[in-house]
Amino acid sequence: RRVLFRSQTHLPKEKITILRPTGVYGKGDTHSSYGPNRFIKTAFKDNEILLFGSGKDIRNHLFVDDLMAMIFFFLKKRISGIFCLASDKSCSFIYIARKIKDFLPKVIIKFQKNNSKVTKRYFKDLFFFNSNKTYKCFSIENGLKKYF
């Protein structure tokens, strides 16, 4: 893992903005990392979704339209600094798999044994939402609906 700037003191003197998004999902994804994008691709290709463990790990997933809105916000306001970008809600992988199954009922959800403990990652007190209180991210349901 490369570190560009260890802290604010390592930043160049010019004002710059670094936006660090959580996992992004949406049509046209080429990365296919574990989460909504991979689940949808394998659902179409193999008619199944493979989850690690029980699928109860919780992560944040940012719909690509929300990411674009956030980037536009920072550009328009000319805000500089380092910021995490995430949706306002985190959810489990099993929840996402079940929501995809709502669109593709023939899909089978399978589980791969995993000895790791369930982990949960939430994002709170994000600058974007503190500065833009009226913005509401796509829910997983609505993001998937737009995807499909």
Side-chain angles (χ1 to χ4, degrees):
R1 189 179 209 188
R2 289 188 176 164
V3 177
L4 294 175
F5 305 106
R6 291 198 184 278
S7 69
Q8 293 278 356
T9 58
H10 291 93
L11 291 174
K13 291 186 194 251
E14 300 84 23
K15 288 187 177 184
I16 66 169
T17 303
I18 298 172
L19 302 176
R20 302 180 62 214
T22 187
V24 179
Y25 72 100
K27 227 172 196 161
D29 171 71
T30 57
H31 189 262
S32 200
S33 62
Y34 185 72
N37 289 316
R38 181 187 295 177
F39 296 168
I40 292 167
K41 285 180 183 179
T42 58
F44 278 119
K45 183 178 172 247
D46 303 326
N47 223 23
E48 70 178 36
I49 297 171
L50 181 63
L51 298 175
F52 297 131
S54 62
K56 293 181 181 174
D57 291 290
I58 294 177
R59 297 290 184 278
N60 192 280
H61 305 280
L62 186 61
F63 188 57
V64 67
D65 291 13
D66 292 319
L67 174 62
M68 294 300 104
M70 291 175 181
I71 291 171
F72 182 73
F73 170 83
F74 280 91
L75 287 171
K76 185 177 174 185
K77 301 279 186 184
R78 299 177 154 254
I79 299 167
S80 59
I82 302 173
F83 302 94
C84 289
L85 301 181
S87 70
D88 48 353
K89 294 206 171 39
S90 295
C91 63
S92 68
F93 290 109
I94 186 69
Y95 183 81
I96 295 166
R98 288 178 179 150
K99 292 301 166 187
I100 292 169
K101 189 171 172 59
D102 288 345
F103 291 98
L104 303 168
K106 293 182 181 180
V107 165
I108 298 166
I109 299 172
K110 293 184 175 181
F111 301 89
Q112 181 177 341
K113 190 173 181 178
N114 181 344
N115 294 328
S116 299
K117 289 183 179 180
V118 171
T119 59
K120 300 176 183 182
R121 294 190 188 142
Y122 299 95
F123 289 84
K124 294 182 181 183
D125 201 33
L126 293 169
F127 179 88
F128 176 78
F129 293 108
N130 290 337
S131 301
N132 195 1
K133 297 198 185 293
T134 60
Y135 189 85
K136 295 287 180 210
C137 284
F138 277 83
S139 64
I140 284 291
E141 296 85 357
N142 289 334
L144 291 173
K145 184 177 181 179
K146 188 164 183 184
Y147 190 108
F148 282 95

